[in-house]
Amino acid sequence: MAGGAGDPPPGPLDSVLRPVRAGNGFEEALEQVLQLLRLGLVPPGERLPSERELSQHLRISRVTLREVLKVLQDQNMVESRRGRYGGTFVLPRTAAPDGSGELRRRIAAVDVEDTLRFREVLEAGAAGLCAEGLAADGEDRLRGALDATQGARLEDYRRQDTLLHLTLAELSGSRTLAAQYAAVRATLNELLDGIPLLVRNLEHSQQQHTAVVEAVLDRDPDAAREMMREHCGGTAALLRGFLA
Amino acid sequence: MAGGAGDPPPGPLDSVLRPVRAGNGFEEALEQVLQLLRLGLVPPGERLPSERELSQHLRISRVTLREVLKVLQDQNMVESRRGRYGGTFVLPRTAAPDGSGELRRRIAAVDVEDTLRFREVLEAGAAGLCAEGLAADGEDRLRGALDATQGARLEDYRRQDTLLHLTLAELSGSRTLAAQYAAVRATLNELLDGIPLLVRNLEHSQQQHTAVVEAVLDRDPDAAREMMREHCGGTAALLRGFLA
DNA sequence: AAGCAATGGTTCTCTGTCATACCTTATGCC
DNA sequence: GGCATAAGGTATGACAGAGAACCATTGCTT
């Protein structure tokens, strides 16, 4: 992306005319891998899919993927080990993730209000859809995810919470919804990393999780949506308070 | 995109690991321009933004954009005129859009259930958000869009209907929601083109539009969401019926 | 009638990305 | 100990796409 002209002035067509391939093309891949980490889909200590696998999934060449991983290595977010049973491993989060690196640039470019509103819409919608009809194996997955949050230790709570919500989104029956939720949740987690985790909020959160899941299992869409909106509203108020 | 191996087997990480740059890169641009047409944001007879403008918005080179326009010209969807005050103009839809062209391929690859569910979630969410708080100028835009649907002739109804819903999405206060709605609505319109437009449904639709807008202006989020869900449910039932 | 300005049409070069093949390292199994 | 295997590391050639410069056409303005 060489030095062309600046951004064109905004017009009424901007809902549709968003850029194809936001950024260097490789940045989009970076974004996706970052999602993997921020969502905790691959927890610290675990191995990412091999370079050959990942590059196939993302439909980019291995060379380009390696450049992405290089950035993450420089940020001490992952570590690569060679040899059989080697791979790229996720490192535990370090306190200060380097204030001037290749990353970090996108933070603060996030539209917080957009994120919070969109999140609430997707969550409430997913909860409602799940309550309207859920396969039997869906019930099990949901219960399992809820149990995992109950037993989670403090440092693992964010991850289990994310996985519970992600499960709900996947069970909604809309792949697009699930994918969009994953994206917005990754952004949300990034924001949440900037504020303290209060045990009091956490307990309240857990009650709400239980209520939502119960409403879903009771096949009560209105209650599920309502509870979920309340749940999201709590996080939103917290974030608005700390970031205001 | 040369002939690599086939798709990798699906895994639990697929919500996140969707391909970067779906398709030839230029196909994504084609998709966006098609949205512009399918949403009726540029009605028949009107001019698209100039090639230089469009390519900047989409962040693709003018050469690539021209290949996209070439495809649309071959499909008799647009027409280019040179000289000052020239440009690329939208042609009225022809009955049979050529059954085997460069386009047409994506149709039937649409996951109808995904589309309908995701649409309902976004619409209900947008209606709710608007009802929670809408700027004064938002009220005017909304009323204007509603009025336009009232006075629309049959062949222009789809377009005005789309614009009304799009307005609601834009007023939701989430740019992401608006963009996602635009995408899903474009897909929906494509599906709707395949089924007849019944005057009876249309009148019912109009009553619901009015009810939704009233609920929004009354600042009644629950009613707005409920009405909108009903409205979407109608379309969904219609489509499921015809496509089953 | 002449000139100007904005548009589509064309051509060039250069960079990023892809696909492929091969090298290197570490581990388990025989 | 030796070998097969699976992973990361490296090098190369081909191509798509970006960017910029230029040409051709048209209609408004002077």
Side-chain angles (χ1 to χ4, degrees):
Chain A
M1 226 42 68
D7 286 1
L13 276 48
D14 281 345
S15 303
V16 175
L17 294 184
R18 63 185 179 290
V20 167
R21 306 159 78 195
N24 288 42
F26 122 107
E27 284 195 15
E28 208 165 332
L30 174 58
E31 201 66 20
Q32 303 258 335
V33 179
L34 275 175
Q35 271 191 35
L36 227 50
L37 306 183
R38 287 201 282 254
L39 294 175
L41 287 178
V42 182
E46 288 296 296
R47 216 196 64 176
L48 289 173
S50 74
E51 295 182 351
R52 289 169 175 85
E53 263 185 84
L54 255 185
S55 60
Q56 279 190 10
H57 268 96
L58 296 172
R59 292 276 214 286
I60 59 176
S61 77
R62 217 183 125 211
V63 178
T64 306
L65 175 65
R66 281 177 54 69
E67 286 178 33
V68 169
L69 296 180
K70 177 72 164 49
V71 172
L72 299 179
Q73 283 168 18
D74 292 346
Q75 299 285 329
N76 285 319
M77 300 179 73
V78 301
E79 173 196 47
S80 286
R81 293 204 283 272
R82 296 173 62 154
R84 190 175 182 179
Y85 301 93
T88 305
F89 294 81
V90 179
L91 295 176
R93 291 193 59 230
T94 64
D98 181 351
S100 68
E102 181 97 19
L103 314 174
R104 192 71 178 181
R105 218 180 291 164
R106 299 160 308 91
I107 253 184
V110 174
D111 181 339
V112 179
E113 205 53 37
D114 177 15
T115 302
L116 294 178
R117 288 179 183 222
F118 191 51
R119 184 231 176 171
E120 183 177 310
V121 168
L122 293 187
E123 297 261 26
L129 285 173
C130 285
E132 280 170 12
L134 197 59
D137 109 290
E139 294 191 5
D140 293 342
R141 282 187 60 192
L142 195 53
R143 262 191 278 260
L146 180 63
D147 288 348
T149 62
Q150 305 284 11
R153 284 163 311 160
L154 195 65
E155 71 269 24
D156 199 38
Y157 183 75
R158 174 77 41 81
R159 178 168 174 262
Q160 294 300 340
D161 176 69
T162 302
L163 292 178
L164 171 59
H165 286 266
L166 214 48
T167 302
L168 210 61
E170 274 171 18
L171 295 176
S172 71
S174 165
R175 290 182 65 83
T176 309
L177 196 163
Q180 289 297 318
Y181 180 68
V184 79
R185 178 69 199 225
T187 304
L188 184 70
N189 280 355
E190 203 170 7
L191 293 176
L192 287 173
D193 280 343
I195 70 173
L197 186 58
L198 306 175
V199 178
R200 198 183 168 295
N201 292 126
L202 190 149
E203 285 166 356
H204 192 201
S205 233
Q206 269 310 91
Q207 291 171 11
Q208 291 174 324
H209 283 164
T210 307
V212 168
V213 171
E214 273 174 9
V216 168
L217 296 178
D218 286 349
R219 299 291 190 271
D220 185 342
D222 284 318
R225 281 188 285 258
E226 190 54 45
M227 275 311 306
M228 184 58 100
R229 256 198 306 276
E230 203 178 312
H231 179 50
C232 293
T235 311
L238 206 64
L239 267 174
R240 290 195 182 99
F242 271 99
L243 297 180
Chain B
M1 222 54 61
D7 286 2
L13 277 46
D14 281 345
S15 303
V16 175
L17 294 183
R18 62 184 179 288
V20 167
R21 307 158 78 195
N24 290 40
F26 122 106
E27 283 195 16
E28 208 165 331
L30 173 58
E31 201 66 20
Q32 304 259 334
V33 179
L34 275 174
Q35 271 191 35
L36 227 50
L37 306 183
R38 288 201 282 254
L39 293 175
L41 287 177
V42 182
E46 289 296 296
R47 218 196 61 177
L48 290 172
S50 74
E51 295 182 350
R52 289 170 177 83
E53 263 185 83
L54 255 186
S55 60
Q56 277 189 12
H57 269 95
L58 296 172
R59 293 274 215 285
I60 58 177
S61 77
R62 219 183 122 209
V63 178
T64 306
L65 173 65
R66 281 177 55 68
E67 285 178 32
V68 169
L69 295 180
K70 177 72 164 50
V71 172
L72 299 178
Q73 283 167 18
D74 292 347
Q75 299 285 328
N76 284 317
M77 299 178 73
V78 302
E79 174 195 48
S80 286
R81 293 204 283 273
R82 295 172 64 155
R84 191 175 184 180
Y85 303 95
T88 305
F89 294 80
V90 179
L91 296 176
R93 289 193 60 227
T94 64
D98 181 350
S100 68
E102 182 96 17
L103 313 176
R104 193 71 178 180
R105 218 180 290 163
R106 300 160 305 90
I107 253 184
V110 175
D111 182 339
V112 179
E113 205 53 37
D114 178 15
T115 302
L116 294 177
R117 288 178 183 222
F118 191 51
R119 184 231 176 171
E120 183 177 312
V121 167
L122 293 186
E123 297 261 25
L129 285 172
C130 285
E132 282 170 11
L134 197 59
D137 110 287
E139 294 191 5
D140 292 342
R141 283 186 59 191
L142 195 53
R143 263 190 278 260
L146 180 63
D147 288 347
T149 63
Q150 306 282 12
R153 284 162 313 160
L154 196 64
E155 71 270 23
D156 198 38
Y157 184 75
R158 173 76 42 79
R159 177 166 175 262
Q160 295 299 340
D161 175 70
T162 302
L163 291 178
L164 171 59
H165 286 267
L166 215 47
T167 302
L168 210 61
E170 274 171 17
L171 296 176
S172 71
S174 165
R175 289 182 66 83
T176 309
L177 196 162
Q180 289 298 317
Y181 180 68
V184 80
R185 178 70 198 224
T187 305
L188 184 69
N189 279 356
E190 201 170 9
L191 294 175
L192 287 173
D193 280 343
I195 71 173
L197 185 60
L198 306 175
V199 178
R200 199 184 167 295
N201 293 126
L202 190 149
E203 285 166 356
H204 191 201
S205 235
Q206 269 310 90
Q207 290 172 12
Q208 291 173 325
H209 284 164
T210 307
V212 167
V213 171
E214 273 174 8
V216 168
L217 295 178
D218 285 351
R219 300 291 190 272
D220 185 342
D222 284 317
R225 281 187 285 256
E226 189 55 44
M227 276 309 308
M228 185 57 100
R229 257 198 305 276
E230 203 177 312
H231 180 51
C232 293
T235 312
L238 206 65
L239 268 174
R240 290 195 182 100
F242 271 99
L243 297 180

